[in-house]
Amino acid sequence: MSFLGFGGAAQPTSAQKIAAAEQELEMITDMFNRLSNSCTKKCIPPDYKEGDLNKGESVCLDRCVAKFFEVNVKVSEQMQNMQASRGGAAGGAFGGFGQ
Amino acid sequence: MSFLGFGGAAQPTSAQKIAAAEQELEMITDMFNRLSNSCTKKCIPPDYKEGDLNKGESVCLDRCVAKFFEVNVKVSEQMQNMQASRGGAAGGAFGGFGQ
Amino acid sequence: MSFLGFGGAAQPTSAQKIAAAEQELEMITDMFNRLSNSCTKKCIPPDYKEGDLNKGESVCLDRCVAKFFEVNVKVSEQMQNMQASRGGAAGGAFGGFGQ
Amino acid sequence: MEALNANEQREFAAIMERRQMKDFMTMYSNLVQRCFDDCINDFTSKAVSSKEETCVSRCVDKSLKTSERLGQRFAEQNQAMMQGTGQMGGI
Amino acid sequence: MEALNANEQREFAAIMERRQMKDFMTMYSNLVQRCFDDCINDFTSKAVSSKEETCVSRCVDKSLKTSERLGQRFAEQNQAMMQGTGQMGGI
Amino acid sequence: MEALNANEQREFAAIMERRQMKDFMTMYSNLVQRCFDDCINDFTSKAVSSKEETCVSRCVDKSLKTSERLGQRFAEQNQAMMQGTGQMGGI
């Protein structure tokens, strides 16, 4: 994903390009799954009084997606600033945050 | 899993048959893990006053497994009906529901 | 991880040794991710009144890591005792516990 | 991804196809788990009650509609971000 | 799966074997995490208290018994479903 | 792991390198999800409010510091355990 500030390096091989496309697809899928999870929890009450999305739920989902992207961009910017001011890779040997 | 209504196509190769068997095993393992998760949360209080399962917990687990399978069948039927009435694949480019 | 009581067998091949090192790395990464998850939930309130870790949070994290390791050792010992008294592998065909 | 040539695109499409069944399975399993967790809370019987069955049916219905809507919005936002505008119009 | 011949079954068995260690590891990690999460809630000391230790020990015990029981019921239901009955007798 | 020779170590390092990008991505995604879940709870508008933005920024900050501290303690404990002492000094 370009907003993460990756990419660069010259003339990749076919295998590298395909692997990169695959990794990008995986990351987008993962991002969508996380967004789905979060926005469903925030917008859809788990009592299911009806099978349709009502107006309030629909609008909430739309705004939730927009906000998720905005947070994504902000976090990305903040990490790039930190990396720039540190002049190197952030994080250490262990990088997981758990969920 | 046959209740999902997959299968079909003629004369698969050895590699395909093994891959299918592996995928089936993976899906059954995944289903068991999800069921374990859900039924433990629903039936086993996290205070551990004893190391043994008491009668109530045991019965709850048994019924929970039965209900999980029944829900599985119902969801599968509902999705097959929807697919049949739509005349095609349900869902779009992004299909995750999160957990 | 040696505290699990694995290892043994004589003269592994290069591929086996590398696979084992990879598996060990994966397991340590997984363990760190789980510990991160648990200790963050237990020690860091999700209201973020400040960006820094305060004294109480820092001490809580340190103790949480120590306790996580201690629990790990205790669970490992208990399972080894059970295995020894049963004279074989614990668990059945399905072994997941969910999260 | 824009730089893939015809051959590479064909290979990538094959990889995506192999992933589709797996993704569908995960989607299905998540759906079952969510609707089970939200709708089944009575263990005085081993049979799903009609009330629970209604709940599961609506849950499936609503979850699929939720996923469809989220997928549309996600695709729009992703598109917008790729084009570098970072902004979508007016909700 | 019933259509695998002897050679294919041998290959499949080898794949399963390679998976077993990984599955055991996941099971073990889930067990540690569950019992830690449920039993350890006091961070005024860095040592596990005897009360916490008892809780962890019972948690391990009960979790293994839970998993064993669930595995039995799951296998029965799965068997029944494969045979197309979809129904188990009488709880 | 101590028994890897030079060649094996080189191969293992290459494997680790390939994993690093993936691990970083997972770390990043977890961070976004955590801070979104904890900070964004008002859906009366589609724009992130300044209050929410402050929360996200502190969440990122604190999460990275948390991860760094946990990583240090984890490495120490792991080291101690490998040496068979099983005990760390004095908190």
Side-chain angles (χ1 to χ4, degrees):
Chain A
M1 278 178 151
S2 51
F3 72 98
L4 281 172
F6 298 123
Q11 291 297 90
T13 65
S14 257
Q16 285 174 325
K17 280 158 69 185
I18 290 170
E22 205 182 340
Q23 193 168 51
E24 186 169 335
L25 178 69
E26 254 176 53
M27 204 197 153
I28 292 180
T29 305
D30 177 62
M31 186 181 162
F32 179 72
N33 287 338
R34 291 167 182 274
L35 172 153
S36 275
N37 222 333
S38 295
C39 292
T40 300
K41 261 190 217 129
K42 288 180 187 292
C43 297
I44 311 294
D47 52 6
Y48 308 108
K49 284 176 191 149
E50 50 191 351
D52 285 317
L53 290 173
N54 65 36
K55 185 73 191 147
E57 291 165 342
S58 301
V59 172
C60 180
L61 290 174
D62 294 349
R63 290 174 178 161
C64 188
V65 174
K67 285 195 156 188
F68 195 91
F69 272 78
E70 202 182 330
V71 167
N72 218 317
V73 170
K74 284 191 195 309
V75 172
S76 165
E77 286 170 359
Q78 189 173 345
M79 288 191 74
Q80 280 173 39
N81 289 341
M82 289 170 57
Q83 232 169 328
S85 70
R86 281 199 191 193
F94 295 101
F97 280 85
Q99 345 194 17
Chain B
M1 276 180 155
S2 51
F3 73 97
L4 281 173
F6 298 124
Q11 291 296 89
T13 65
S14 255
Q16 285 174 325
K17 280 158 70 185
I18 289 169
E22 204 182 340
Q23 193 169 51
E24 187 169 337
L25 178 69
E26 255 176 52
M27 205 195 151
I28 292 180
T29 306
D30 177 62
M31 187 181 161
F32 179 72
N33 288 337
R34 291 169 182 274
L35 171 153
S36 276
N37 222 334
S38 295
C39 292
T40 300
K41 262 191 216 127
K42 288 180 186 294
C43 296
I44 311 293
D47 53 6
Y48 307 107
K49 284 176 191 148
E50 50 191 351
D52 286 316
L53 291 173
N54 64 36
K55 184 73 190 147
E57 291 165 341
S58 301
V59 172
C60 181
L61 290 174
D62 294 349
R63 291 173 178 164
C64 188
V65 174
K67 285 195 157 191
F68 194 91
F69 272 77
E70 201 181 332
V71 167
N72 218 318
V73 170
K74 285 191 195 308
V75 172
S76 165
E77 284 170 358
Q78 189 173 345
M79 289 191 74
Q80 280 173 39
N81 289 342
M82 289 170 58
Q83 232 169 328
S85 70
R86 282 197 191 196
F94 295 102
F97 280 85
Q99 352 194 14
Chain C
M1 278 180 152
S2 52
F3 72 97
L4 280 172
F6 298 124
Q11 291 296 90
T13 65
S14 256
Q16 286 174 326
K17 278 159 70 186
I18 289 170
E22 205 181 340
Q23 193 169 50
E24 186 169 337
L25 178 68
E26 255 176 52
M27 206 196 150
I28 291 180
T29 305
D30 177 62
M31 187 181 162
F32 178 73
N33 287 337
R34 290 167 183 274
L35 171 153
S36 276
N37 222 334
S38 295
C39 291
T40 300
K41 263 190 217 127
K42 287 179 186 296
C43 296
I44 311 293
D47 53 5
Y48 306 109
K49 284 176 190 148
E50 51 191 350
D52 285 317
L53 290 173
N54 64 38
K55 185 74 191 146
E57 291 165 342
S58 302
V59 171
C60 181
L61 290 174
D62 294 349
R63 290 174 179 164
C64 188
V65 174
K67 284 195 159 191
F68 195 91
F69 272 78
E70 200 181 333
V71 167
N72 218 318
V73 170
K74 285 192 194 308
V75 172
S76 164
E77 285 169 358
Q78 190 173 345
M79 289 191 73
Q80 280 173 39
N81 289 342
M82 289 170 57
Q83 232 169 330
S85 70
R86 281 199 190 195
F94 296 100
F97 279 84
Q99 347 194 13
Chain D
M1 221 179 118
E2 49 267 273
L4 295 188
N5 65 32
N7 267 334
E8 290 161 358
Q9 280 183 24
R10 219 170 304 126
E11 206 177 317
F12 184 58
I15 289 171
M16 281 194 63
E17 208 173 305
R18 266 173 268 145
R19 287 187 52 123
Q20 276 186 346
M21 178 58 97
K22 195 169 161 265
D23 286 350
F24 178 78
M25 287 307 186
T26 304
M27 180 284 287
Y28 176 79
S29 303
N30 284 335
L31 181 60
V32 170
Q33 193 174 11
R34 159 159 309 146
C35 297
F36 182 83
D37 286 347
D38 286 348
C39 294
I40 310 295
N41 285 300
D42 170 23
F43 296 99
T44 55
S45 149
K46 68 163 271 200
V48 172
S49 72
S50 69
K51 192 182 147 197
E52 286 171 334
E53 190 173 340
T54 304
C55 179
V56 167
S57 168
R58 287 177 182 160
C59 173
V60 170
D61 217 9
K62 190 173 262 196
S63 297
L64 292 174
K65 284 167 185 158
T66 297
S67 189
E68 201 180 349
R69 189 169 192 108
L70 288 173
Q72 287 165 359
R73 294 300 158 263
F74 184 85
E76 288 166 10
Q77 290 277 352
N78 207 37
Q79 190 76 23
M81 204 175 56
M82 295 292 184
Q83 292 165 354
T85 70
Q87 279 295 332
M88 290 293 300
I91 294 161
Chain E
M1 221 176 118
E2 48 266 272
L4 295 188
N5 65 33
N7 267 334
E8 291 161 357
Q9 281 183 23
R10 220 169 303 125
E11 206 176 316
F12 183 60
I15 289 172
M16 282 194 63
E17 208 173 306
R18 268 173 268 146
R19 287 187 51 123
Q20 276 185 346
M21 178 57 97
K22 197 171 160 261
D23 287 348
F24 178 78
M25 286 306 185
T26 304
M27 180 283 286
Y28 176 80
S29 302
N30 284 334
L31 181 60
V32 170
Q33 192 174 11
R34 158 159 309 147
C35 296
F36 182 81
D37 286 347
D38 286 348
C39 293
I40 310 296
N41 285 301
D42 170 22
F43 297 98
T44 56
S45 149
K46 68 164 271 198
V48 172
S49 72
S50 70
K51 192 181 147 198
E52 287 171 333
E53 190 172 341
T54 305
C55 179
V56 167
S57 168
R58 287 177 182 161
C59 172
V60 169
D61 216 10
K62 189 173 265 197
S63 297
L64 292 174
K65 283 168 186 158
T66 297
S67 191
E68 199 180 352
R69 189 168 193 110
L70 288 173
Q72 286 166 358
R73 293 300 159 263
F74 184 85
E76 288 166 10
Q77 290 278 350
N78 208 37
Q79 190 76 23
M81 205 175 56
M82 295 292 186
Q83 293 166 352
T85 70
Q87 278 295 333
M88 290 293 299
I91 294 162
Chain F
M1 221 178 117
E2 50 265 270
L4 295 187
N5 65 33
N7 268 334
E8 291 160 356
Q9 280 183 23
R10 221 169 303 126
E11 206 178 317
F12 184 59
I15 289 171
M16 281 195 65
E17 208 173 304
R18 268 174 267 146
R19 287 187 53 123
Q20 275 185 346
M21 178 57 96
K22 198 173 159 261
D23 286 350
F24 178 78
M25 287 306 184
T26 304
M27 179 283 286
Y28 176 79
S29 302
N30 284 335
L31 181 60
V32 170
Q33 192 173 12
R34 159 159 307 148
C35 296
F36 182 82
D37 286 347
D38 286 348
C39 293
I40 310 295
N41 284 301
D42 171 22
F43 297 98
T44 56
S45 149
K46 66 164 272 197
V48 171
S49 71
S50 69
K51 193 181 147 199
E52 287 171 333
E53 192 173 340
T54 304
C55 179
V56 168
S57 168
R58 287 176 182 161
C59 173
V60 170
D61 216 10
K62 189 172 264 196
S63 297
L64 292 174
K65 283 168 186 159
T66 297
S67 191
E68 203 181 348
R69 188 168 193 111
L70 288 173
Q72 287 165 358
R73 293 299 158 265
F74 184 85
E76 289 166 11
Q77 290 277 352
N78 208 36
Q79 191 75 24
M81 204 175 56
M82 295 292 186
Q83 293 165 354
T85 69
Q87 279 294 333
M88 291 293 298
I91 294 162

